[in-house]
């Protein structure tokens, strides 16, 4: 086998391995298709009567989850899809209680226009409203969950602020001390020179 044939065989093996790997990571309830030059996958999980979001390939660029039975998305479930460019997640019976906040915030970063296509199925007070229309009034129940996270951020920020204040105090004290030390050194040098000058003058007078 010459060098050209060897490279060809290795390339074919790598391509086959890549294809097998992509097939293995594709959820069994979805259809995955390579996007070729885009170096990613189109993952079509639409119209599969899904009740939860499946584990998705990390290199998903297009995600279709519309027309299913999804009611919520667990926090963090979609955070690993860093290459995502397109998402369709409408036509699901979304339960717009506090748990919908994750999906709402995630879509605001990934695909803000999608917020206008996703409608709530429950509770009754927000039925048929879009995620874009939901405000703090509709999601008032979430206030009971916020203080825990807010408290964590509060203590973290408080520690950072306290550390910054202590650092500034130490720097100011060090500058003040250094100036005082410099003044004392200068005074000591001045006093020493004065004494030397007086001694030298006194010796000259004695010689005279």
């Amino acid at each position: 086998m010459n060098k050209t044939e060897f490279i060809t065989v290795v390339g074919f093996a790598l391509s086959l391995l890549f294809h097998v790997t992509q097939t293995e990571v594709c959820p069994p309830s979805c259809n995955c298709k390579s996007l070729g030059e885009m170096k990613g996958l189109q993952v079509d999980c639409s119209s599969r009567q899904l009740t939860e979001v499946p584990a998705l390939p990390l290199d998903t660029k297009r995600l279709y989850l519309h027309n299913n039975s999804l009611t919520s998305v667990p926090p963090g479930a979609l955070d690993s899809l860093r290459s995502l460019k397109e998402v369709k997640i409408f036509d699901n019976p979304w339960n717009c209680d506090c748990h919908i906040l994750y999906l709402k915030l995630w879509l605001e970063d990934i695909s803000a226009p999608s917020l206008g296509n996703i409608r709530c199925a429950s509770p009754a007070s927000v039925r048929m409203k879009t995620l874009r229309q939901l405000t703090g009034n509709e999601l008032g129940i979430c206030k009971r969950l916020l203080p825990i996270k807010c408290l964590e951020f509060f203590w973290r920020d408080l520690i950072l602020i306290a550390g910054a204040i202590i650092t500034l105090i130490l720097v100011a004290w060090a500058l003040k001390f250094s100036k005082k030390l410099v003044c004392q050194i200068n005074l000591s040098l001045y006093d020493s020179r004065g004494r030397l000058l007086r001694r030298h003058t006194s010796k000259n007078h004695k010689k005279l």
Side-chain angles (χ1 to χ4, degrees), residues 191-204:
D191 187 53
S192 298
R193 289 174 182 174
R195 289 178 181 176
L196 289 173
L197 182 60
R198 286 195 295 270
R199 289 179 183 175
H200 181 71
T201 305
S202 177
K203 288 180 179 180
N204 288 338

Side-chain angles (χ1 to χ4, degrees), residues 1-194:
M1 182 183 294
N2 58 34
K3 186 176 179 180
T4 303
E5 291 176 343
F6 177 76
I7 293 174
T8 303
V9 171
V10 170
F12 176 76
L14 290 174
S15 300
L16 182 62
L17 179 61
F18 178 79
H19 176 74
V20 171
T21 302
Q22 295 301 318
T23 304
E24 288 178 351
V25 298
C26 184
S29 55
C30 305
N31 179 33
C32 298
K33 183 176 70 173
S34 174
L35 294 175
E37 294 181 358
M38 292 184 68
K39 297 180 180 179
L41 291 175
Q42 174 180 296
V43 182
D44 187 358
C45 305
S46 62
S47 305
R48 308 297 172 97
Q49 297 182 347
L50 299 178
T51 57
E52 60 182 21
V53 177
L56 298 165
L58 297 179
D59 56 346
T60 300
K61 281 194 178 294
R62 296 175 183 170
L63 175 61
Y64 304 143
L65 284 166
H66 53 284
N67 195 27
N68 279 297
S69 300
L70 301 173
T71 57
S72 65
V73 177
L78 303 172
D79 289 351
S80 61
L81 306 181
R82 303 185 186 279
S83 302
L84 197 64
K85 299 297 182 184
E86 180 184 356
V87 58
K88 294 181 181 179
I89 202 168
F90 54 87
D91 285 344
N92 282 285
W94 297 108
N95 180 25
C96 296
D97 60 4
C98 185
H99 301 291
I100 204 68
L101 265 181
Y102 167 73
L103 179 61
K104 186 176 188 296
L105 296 174
W106 182 79
L107 285 172
E108 285 177 356
D109 291 335
I110 300 298
S111 179
S114 300
L115 293 170
N117 299 325
I118 300 174
R119 296 187 177 277
C120 302
S122 61
S125 58
V126 295
R127 183 177 174 81
M128 294 309 294
K129 280 193 173 185
T130 65
L131 278 187
R132 188 189 303 278
Q133 293 174 301
L134 293 185
T135 62
N137 293 329
E138 287 83 10
L139 298 172
I141 189 174
C142 300
K143 293 178 181 178
R144 284 182 280 179
L145 299 178
L146 290 177
I148 298 175
K149 293 185 177 180
C150 290
L151 192 60
E152 292 176 357
F153 286 117
F154 171 76
W155 285 115
R156 184 194 67 180
D157 293 342
L158 184 62
I159 292 172
L160 291 174
I161 292 171
I165 292 174
I166 292 173
T167 302
L168 289 174
I169 292 173
L170 290 175
V171 170
W173 179 82
L175 288 174
K176 184 178 179 181
F177 179 77
S178 62
K179 288 181 180 179
K180 185 177 180 180
L181 185 61
V182 169
C183 290
Q184 289 178 348
I185 293 173
N186 288 335
L187 287 173
S188 299
L189 291 173
Y190 180 78
D191 187 53
S192 298
R193 289 174 182 174

